[in-house]
Amino acid sequence: MDGPVGLIGDLGELPLPDLVEMTSIGGKTGRLVLYDEEEAVAGVLMFRGGRLVGARAGELAGEKAFYALLAVTTGTFDFDPTVELDEDELNLPTESLLIEGMRRLDEVYRMRRRLPAPAVLRYRGGATEDPLDARVLGYLGPGARRVGDVVDGLLVDGDVDEYYVLKSISRLVALEVVRVELPDESARDGAHPGGPPQPELER
């Protein structure tokens, strides 16, 4: 008797949200590995009976990892139904995770338009009691940095994703603790963020 059949493919042809939905509806059990364009592992999703029970993306795990992986649109995937799964770590229905993940992705796209990677964040003064906001300010320092650098720097810690960092920056802008200078505005004012240049997050 034949065993379960695996599946490999291209994320450009079968996007991850569609792949997750197909796995869920089909009640599949197995491990889904995502690879980026350089064939490095971007993340891993585990399914049991169509239910998402585990996720890893770098140092991120659980729901945060799943939400981060939904932003992966290029690369390949490999679904192996023969792998023995670890203990379940997620308890939410896959459909609920997918709906929330897509909502977050839409919000990230909207925030990116307001806070593009080349824009400059400049500290204006004040403080915050929110731990993540404090980390953003700590990374920003007393001067200025590009939004892409701040996001990239916070992602190195591995316990937050772009969604949370951009939300934090948006709060700080609303509180007038920092101000955002769009690329044309920075050029017009002759502003230049202090410190050596850092690679920007590609967004």
Short mmCIF file of all heavy atoms in Angstrom, two decimals, residues 4-47:
data_model
loop_
_atom_site.label_atom_id
_atom_site.label_comp_id
_atom_site.label_asym_id
_atom_site.label_seq_id
_atom_site.Cartn_x
_atom_site.Cartn_y
_atom_site.Cartn_z
N PRO A 4 1.75 8.25 2.35
CA PRO A 4 1.39 9.63 2.03
C PRO A 4 2.33 10.21 0.98
O PRO A 4 3.52 9.89 0.94
CB PRO A 4 1.55 10.36 3.38
CG PRO A 4 1.56 9.29 4.41
CD PRO A 4 2.10 8.06 3.75
N VAL A 5 1.81 11.06 0.15
CA VAL A 5 2.59 11.66 -0.93
C VAL A 5 3.01 13.07 -0.54
O VAL A 5 2.21 13.87 -0.07
CB VAL A 5 1.76 11.71 -2.23
CG1 VAL A 5 2.56 12.37 -3.34
CG2 VAL A 5 1.35 10.30 -2.64
N GLY A 6 4.31 13.38 -0.73
CA GLY A 6 4.82 14.71 -0.45
C GLY A 6 4.52 15.67 -1.59
O GLY A 6 3.93 15.29 -2.61
N LEU A 7 4.96 16.91 -1.41
CA LEU A 7 4.69 17.92 -2.43
C LEU A 7 5.82 18.94 -2.41
O LEU A 7 6.21 19.43 -1.35
CB LEU A 7 3.36 18.63 -2.14
CG LEU A 7 2.95 19.74 -3.10
CD1 LEU A 7 2.66 19.19 -4.48
CD2 LEU A 7 1.72 20.48 -2.55
N ILE A 8 6.36 19.24 -3.58
CA ILE A 8 7.35 20.30 -3.70
C ILE A 8 6.87 21.27 -4.77
O ILE A 8 6.11 20.90 -5.66
CB ILE A 8 8.75 19.75 -4.07
CG1 ILE A 8 8.70 18.99 -5.40
CG2 ILE A 8 9.28 18.86 -2.97
CD1 ILE A 8 10.07 18.53 -5.88
N GLY A 9 7.29 22.53 -4.67
CA GLY A 9 6.84 23.50 -5.65
C GLY A 9 7.46 24.86 -5.45
O GLY A 9 8.36 25.04 -4.63
N ASP A 10 6.95 25.83 -6.20
CA ASP A 10 7.45 27.20 -6.21
C ASP A 10 6.42 28.11 -5.56
O ASP A 10 5.23 28.08 -5.91
CB ASP A 10 7.71 27.63 -7.65
CG ASP A 10 8.49 28.93 -7.74
OD1 ASP A 10 8.09 29.92 -7.11
OD2 ASP A 10 9.52 28.95 -8.45
N LEU A 11 6.87 28.95 -4.61
CA LEU A 11 5.95 29.85 -3.92
C LEU A 11 5.40 30.92 -4.86
O LEU A 11 4.37 31.51 -4.58
CB LEU A 11 6.65 30.52 -2.74
CG LEU A 11 6.97 29.60 -1.56
CD1 LEU A 11 7.87 30.31 -0.55
CD2 LEU A 11 5.68 29.14 -0.89
N GLY A 12 6.10 31.15 -5.99
CA GLY A 12 5.58 32.10 -6.96
C GLY A 12 4.37 31.56 -7.69
O GLY A 12 3.51 32.32 -8.15
N GLU A 13 4.27 30.24 -7.78
CA GLU A 13 3.15 29.60 -8.45
C GLU A 13 2.05 29.20 -7.47
O GLU A 13 0.86 29.22 -7.82
CB GLU A 13 3.64 28.37 -9.22
CG GLU A 13 4.65 28.70 -10.31
CD GLU A 13 5.19 27.46 -10.99
OE1 GLU A 13 4.79 26.34 -10.59
OE2 GLU A 13 6.00 27.59 -11.92
N LEU A 14 2.45 28.82 -6.26
CA LEU A 14 1.49 28.45 -5.22
C LEU A 14 1.86 29.21 -3.95
O LEU A 14 2.68 28.76 -3.16
CB LEU A 14 1.52 26.94 -4.96
CG LEU A 14 0.49 26.39 -3.95
CD1 LEU A 14 -0.93 26.75 -4.38
CD2 LEU A 14 0.64 24.87 -3.82
N PRO A 15 1.29 30.41 -3.75
CA PRO A 15 1.62 31.25 -2.59
C PRO A 15 1.34 30.53 -1.27
O PRO A 15 0.47 29.66 -1.20
CB PRO A 15 0.71 32.47 -2.76
CG PRO A 15 0.37 32.49 -4.21
CD PRO A 15 0.31 31.05 -4.63
N LEU A 16 2.08 30.90 -0.25
CA LEU A 16 1.96 30.24 1.04
C LEU A 16 0.53 30.26 1.60
O LEU A 16 0.07 29.24 2.11
CB LEU A 16 2.94 30.85 2.04
CG LEU A 16 2.94 30.19 3.42
CD1 LEU A 16 3.25 28.70 3.32
CD2 LEU A 16 3.95 30.88 4.34
N PRO A 17 -0.19 31.39 1.55
CA PRO A 17 -1.57 31.37 2.08
C PRO A 17 -2.43 30.30 1.40
O PRO A 17 -3.21 29.61 2.07
CB PRO A 17 -2.09 32.79 1.78
CG PRO A 17 -0.86 33.63 1.77
CD PRO A 17 0.20 32.77 1.15
N ASP A 18 -2.29 30.16 0.08
CA ASP A 18 -3.06 29.14 -0.65
C ASP A 18 -2.60 27.75 -0.25
O ASP A 18 -3.41 26.82 -0.12
CB ASP A 18 -2.90 29.32 -2.16
CG ASP A 18 -3.51 30.62 -2.66
OD1 ASP A 18 -4.33 31.20 -1.93
OD2 ASP A 18 -3.16 31.05 -3.77
N LEU A 19 -1.30 27.60 -0.06
CA LEU A 19 -0.74 26.31 0.33
C LEU A 19 -1.22 25.90 1.72
O LEU A 19 -1.58 24.74 1.95
CB LEU A 19 0.79 26.38 0.30
CG LEU A 19 1.58 25.11 0.58
CD1 LEU A 19 1.19 24.00 -0.40
CD2 LEU A 19 3.07 25.39 0.50
N VAL A 20 -1.24 26.85 2.63
CA VAL A 20 -1.72 26.58 3.99
C VAL A 20 -3.20 26.20 3.97
O VAL A 20 -3.63 25.25 4.62
CB VAL A 20 -1.50 27.81 4.90
CG1 VAL A 20 -2.22 27.64 6.24
CG2 VAL A 20 -0.01 28.03 5.14
N GLU A 21 -3.98 26.94 3.20
CA GLU A 21 -5.41 26.66 3.10
C GLU A 21 -5.66 25.28 2.49
O GLU A 21 -6.51 24.53 2.98
CB GLU A 21 -6.09 27.74 2.27
CG GLU A 21 -7.61 27.63 2.24
CD GLU A 21 -8.26 28.78 1.53
OE1 GLU A 21 -7.60 29.42 0.69
OE2 GLU A 21 -9.44 29.06 1.81
N MET A 22 -4.90 24.95 1.48
CA MET A 22 -5.04 23.65 0.83
C MET A 22 -4.68 22.52 1.79
O MET A 22 -5.37 21.49 1.86
CB MET A 22 -4.12 23.59 -0.40
CG MET A 22 -4.22 22.30 -1.20
SD MET A 22 -3.13 22.34 -2.65
CE MET A 22 -1.53 22.22 -1.85
N THR A 23 -3.63 22.72 2.57
CA THR A 23 -3.20 21.72 3.56
C THR A 23 -4.25 21.56 4.65
O THR A 23 -4.52 20.46 5.12
CB THR A 23 -1.85 22.13 4.17
OG1 THR A 23 -0.89 22.30 3.12
CG2 THR A 23 -1.34 21.07 5.12
N SER A 24 -4.83 22.68 5.06
CA SER A 24 -5.84 22.65 6.11
C SER A 24 -7.11 21.94 5.64
O SER A 24 -7.62 21.05 6.33
CB SER A 24 -6.17 24.08 6.54
OG SER A 24 -7.21 24.10 7.49
N ILE A 25 -7.60 22.33 4.47
CA ILE A 25 -8.82 21.72 3.95
C ILE A 25 -8.62 20.23 3.69
O ILE A 25 -9.52 19.42 3.92
CB ILE A 25 -9.26 22.43 2.65
CG1 ILE A 25 -9.68 23.88 2.96
CG2 ILE A 25 -10.39 21.68 1.96
CD1 ILE A 25 -10.01 24.70 1.74
N GLY A 26 -7.42 19.87 3.24
CA GLY A 26 -7.14 18.46 2.95
C GLY A 26 -6.85 17.62 4.20
O GLY A 26 -6.68 16.41 4.09
N GLY A 27 -6.79 18.27 5.37
CA GLY A 27 -6.54 17.54 6.61
C GLY A 27 -5.17 16.86 6.62
O GLY A 27 -5.01 15.78 7.20
N LYS A 28 -4.18 17.51 6.03
CA LYS A 28 -2.86 16.91 5.88
C LYS A 28 -2.04 16.97 7.19
O LYS A 28 -2.21 17.88 8.01
CB LYS A 28 -2.06 17.61 4.78
CG LYS A 28 -2.73 17.60 3.42
CD LYS A 28 -2.83 16.19 2.85
CE LYS A 28 -3.38 16.21 1.43
NZ LYS A 28 -3.50 14.85 0.86
N THR A 29 -1.17 16.00 7.33
CA THR A 29 -0.22 15.97 8.45
C THR A 29 1.19 15.91 7.87
O THR A 29 1.46 15.14 6.95
CB THR A 29 -0.45 14.75 9.35
OG1 THR A 29 -1.73 14.86 9.98
CG2 THR A 29 0.63 14.65 10.43
N GLY A 30 2.09 16.75 8.39
CA GLY A 30 3.46 16.73 7.90
C GLY A 30 4.19 18.02 8.18
O GLY A 30 3.67 18.91 8.87
N ARG A 31 5.39 18.12 7.64
CA ARG A 31 6.23 19.30 7.84
C ARG A 31 6.43 20.03 6.51
O ARG A 31 6.79 19.41 5.51
CB ARG A 31 7.60 18.88 8.39
CG ARG A 31 8.54 20.06 8.66
CD ARG A 31 9.89 19.57 9.15
NE ARG A 31 10.59 18.83 8.11
CZ ARG A 31 11.72 18.15 8.31
NH1 ARG A 31 12.24 18.09 9.52
NH2 ARG A 31 12.30 17.50 7.30
N LEU A 32 6.19 21.32 6.53
CA LEU A 32 6.35 22.16 5.35
C LEU A 32 7.58 23.04 5.55
O LEU A 32 7.61 23.86 6.46
CB LEU A 32 5.12 23.02 5.13
CG LEU A 32 5.17 24.02 3.97
CD1 LEU A 32 5.26 23.30 2.64
CD2 LEU A 32 3.95 24.93 4.00
N VAL A 33 8.59 22.86 4.71
CA VAL A 33 9.81 23.66 4.78
C VAL A 33 9.81 24.68 3.65
O VAL A 33 9.58 24.32 2.49
CB VAL A 33 11.08 22.78 4.68
CG1 VAL A 33 12.34 23.65 4.81
CG2 VAL A 33 11.07 21.70 5.76
N LEU A 34 10.07 25.94 3.98
CA LEU A 34 10.12 27.00 2.99
C LEU A 34 11.58 27.40 2.76
O LEU A 34 12.34 27.57 3.72
CB LEU A 34 9.33 28.23 3.47
CG LEU A 34 7.88 27.99 3.87
CD1 LEU A 34 7.25 29.28 4.35
CD2 LEU A 34 7.09 27.39 2.72
N TYR A 35 11.95 27.57 1.51
CA TYR A 35 13.31 27.96 1.15
C TYR A 35 13.27 29.30 0.41
O TYR A 35 12.37 29.53 -0.39
CB TYR A 35 13.95 26.91 0.24
CG TYR A 35 14.07 25.54 0.86
CD1 TYR A 35 13.07 24.59 0.68
CD2 TYR A 35 15.17 25.20 1.63
CE1 TYR A 35 13.16 23.33 1.25
CE2 TYR A 35 15.29 23.93 2.20
CZ TYR A 35 14.27 23.00 2.01
OH TYR A 35 14.38 21.75 2.57
N ASP A 36 14.26 30.15 0.69
CA ASP A 36 14.32 31.42 -0.02
C ASP A 36 14.97 31.23 -1.38
O ASP A 36 15.28 30.10 -1.79
CB ASP A 36 15.05 32.49 0.81
CG ASP A 36 16.51 32.12 1.11
OD1 ASP A 36 17.09 31.31 0.36
OD2 ASP A 36 17.07 32.66 2.08
N GLU A 37 15.20 32.33 -2.09
CA GLU A 37 15.73 32.25 -3.44
C GLU A 37 17.15 31.69 -3.50
O GLU A 37 17.59 31.21 -4.53
CB GLU A 37 15.69 33.64 -4.09
CG GLU A 37 14.28 34.14 -4.36
CD GLU A 37 14.27 35.52 -4.97
OE1 GLU A 37 14.93 36.42 -4.40
OE2 GLU A 37 13.61 35.71 -6.01
N GLU A 38 17.86 31.76 -2.37
CA GLU A 38 19.23 31.23 -2.31
C GLU A 38 19.24 29.80 -1.76
O GLU A 38 20.29 29.28 -1.41
CB GLU A 38 20.10 32.15 -1.46
CG GLU A 38 20.22 33.56 -2.03
CD GLU A 38 21.07 34.47 -1.17
OE1 GLU A 38 21.44 34.05 -0.05
OE2 GLU A 38 21.38 35.59 -1.60
N GLU A 39 18.04 29.21 -1.64
CA GLU A 39 17.86 27.83 -1.19
C GLU A 39 18.21 27.64 0.28
O GLU A 39 18.45 26.51 0.73
CB GLU A 39 18.67 26.85 -2.07
CG GLU A 39 18.24 26.87 -3.53
CD GLU A 39 18.96 25.82 -4.36
OE1 GLU A 39 19.83 25.12 -3.81
OE2 GLU A 39 18.65 25.70 -5.56
N ALA A 40 18.24 28.72 1.04
CA ALA A 40 18.41 28.62 2.49
C ALA A 40 17.03 28.47 3.13
O ALA A 40 16.03 28.97 2.59
CB ALA A 40 19.11 29.86 3.03
N VAL A 41 16.95 27.79 4.25
CA VAL A 41 15.66 27.58 4.92
C VAL A 41 15.14 28.91 5.47
O VAL A 41 15.80 29.57 6.28
CB VAL A 41 15.80 26.55 6.06
CG1 VAL A 41 14.48 26.44 6.83
CG2 VAL A 41 16.20 25.20 5.50
N ALA A 42 13.96 29.30 5.02
CA ALA A 42 13.32 30.52 5.50
C ALA A 42 12.46 30.25 6.72
O ALA A 42 12.29 31.11 7.59
CB ALA A 42 12.48 31.16 4.40
N GLY A 43 11.91 29.04 6.80
CA GLY A 43 11.07 28.69 7.93
C GLY A 43 10.46 27.31 7.78
O GLY A 43 10.56 26.68 6.72
N VAL A 44 9.82 26.87 8.84
CA VAL A 44 9.21 25.54 8.87
C VAL A 44 7.83 25.63 9.52
O VAL A 44 7.66 26.29 10.55
CB VAL A 44 10.08 24.54 9.68
CG1 VAL A 44 9.41 23.17 9.72
CG2 VAL A 44 11.48 24.44 9.09
N LEU A 45 6.85 24.98 8.91
CA LEU A 45 5.50 24.88 9.45
C LEU A 45 5.15 23.41 9.64
O LEU A 45 5.47 22.59 8.79
CB LEU A 45 4.47 25.53 8.52
CG LEU A 45 4.65 27.02 8.21
CD1 LEU A 45 3.60 27.48 7.21
CD2 LEU A 45 4.57 27.85 9.49
N MET A 46 4.51 23.09 10.77
CA MET A 46 4.10 21.72 11.04
C MET A 46 2.58 21.63 11.11
O MET A 46 1.94 22.46 11.77
CB MET A 46 4.71 21.23 12.37
CG MET A 46 6.18 20.86 12.27
SD MET A 46 7.27 22.29 12.25
CE MET A 46 7.23 22.82 13.96
N PHE A 47 2.03 20.61 10.44
CA PHE A 47 0.58 20.42 10.41
C PHE A 47 0.22 19.04 10.96
O PHE A 47 0.92 18.06 10.72
CB PHE A 47 0.07 20.53 8.97
CG PHE A 47 0.22 21.88 8.36
CD1 PHE A 47 1.41 22.23 7.71
CD2 PHE A 47 -0.80 22.82 8.42
CE1 PHE A 47 1.57 23.48 7.14
CE2 PHE A 47 -0.65 24.07 7.84
CZ PHE A 47 0.54 24.41 7.20
#
